[in-house]
């Protein structure tokens, strides 16, 4: 069974944690959801971000999400792929040196990586987007450009694949985002 490392944290976007986590487990991957300074059984709070006609998204309390693995027990060589949730969590998670080293490992080894929305802030902080084409929530576009990436301005319900990396602007893109990740993981789903 292939293993996926799933990075998330307090005030991550609810759908961007719950939906990919459940979808990846549904297709048979072992998914370890972790957060720095937290252990298996700890709870993170999520936030629901919605698009209601304002200048930016609105935020409401989401669900509690129980982590199923301890961050300090992660050995990155055990994993076949990496998924990074969005929301507000990436703005502080990107300050964790060990987390950034984990992300760098997946790029050094050319393993599949999926990041959504503000999760791309972790990629820019890890210095892994130089020369890459990727997307993110539009407010993250300047960070992508400053980090040497080529920002792809696509609809929120789409995803962009560049080699081992799949990115999407927001949870509206989950079908394309998860399909892109499954493709780069080598999954075959037959109906």
């Amino acid at each position: 069974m292939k293993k996926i490392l799933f990075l998330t944290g307090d005030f991550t976007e609810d759908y961007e944690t719950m939906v990919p986590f459940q979808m990846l487990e549904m297709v048979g991957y072992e998914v370890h959801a972790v957060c720095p300074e937290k252990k298996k059984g700890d709870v993170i709070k999520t936030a629901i971000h919605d698009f209601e006609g304002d200048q930016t998204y609105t935020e409401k309390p989401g669900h509690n999400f129980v982590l199923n693995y301890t961050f300090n027990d992660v050995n990155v060589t055990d994993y076949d792929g990496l998924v990074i949730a969005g929301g507000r969590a990436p703005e502080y998670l990107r300050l964790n040196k060990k987390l950034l080293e984990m992300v760098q490992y997946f790029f050094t080894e050319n393993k599949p990586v999926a990041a959504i929305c503000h999760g791309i802030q972790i990629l820019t902080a890890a210095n892994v987007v130089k020369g890459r084409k990727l997307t993110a929530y539009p407010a993250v576009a300047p960070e992508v450009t400053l980090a040497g990436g080529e920002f792809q301005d696509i609809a929120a319900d789409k995803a962009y694949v560049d080699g081992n990396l799949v990115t999407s602007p927001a949870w509206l893109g989950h079908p394309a985002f998860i399909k892109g990740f499954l493709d780069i993981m080598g999954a075959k789903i037959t109906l």
Side-chain angles (χ1 to χ4, degrees), residues 48-79:
I48 296 171
H49 295 148
D50 212 346
F51 308 98
E52 300 175 307
D54 301 298
Q55 291 180 322
T56 189
Y57 55 84
T58 59
E59 184 172 271
K60 299 164 185 73
H63 298 90
N64 288 334
F65 180 82
V66 179
L67 299 170
N68 68 349
Y69 204 75
T70 300
F71 182 81
N72 287 336
D73 291 345
V74 169
N75 176 358
V76 290
T77 62
D78 292 341
Y79 296 94

Side-chain angles (χ1 to χ4, degrees), residues 100-119:
L100 296 180
E101 289 170 352
M102 289 177 178
V103 171
Q104 291 164 347
Y105 166 81
F106 285 91
F107 282 85
T108 299
E109 297 299 316
N110 200 37
K111 290 187 175 187
V113 175
I116 192 163
C117 196
H118 286 75

Side-chain angles (χ1 to χ4, degrees), residues 134-136 138 151-161 167-170 173 176:
L134 65 156
T135 193
F151 182 76
Q152 304 299 300
D153 187 11
I154 64 174
D157 63 346
K158 303 292 183 213
Y160 194 88
V161 178
T167 53
S168 181

Side-chain angles (χ1 to χ4, degrees), residues 13 16 49 56-57 84-91 94 115-124 135-140 143 168-170:
E13 207 293 321
E16 292 169 5
H49 295 148
T56 189
Y57 55 84
I84 304 172
R88 284 192 295 132
E91 80 182 28
R94 64 185 169 168
I116 192 163
C117 196
H118 286 75
I120 286 77
Q121 290 179 310
I122 292 173
L123 301 181
T124 59
T135 193
Y137 187 71
V140 182
E143 290 179 53
S168 181

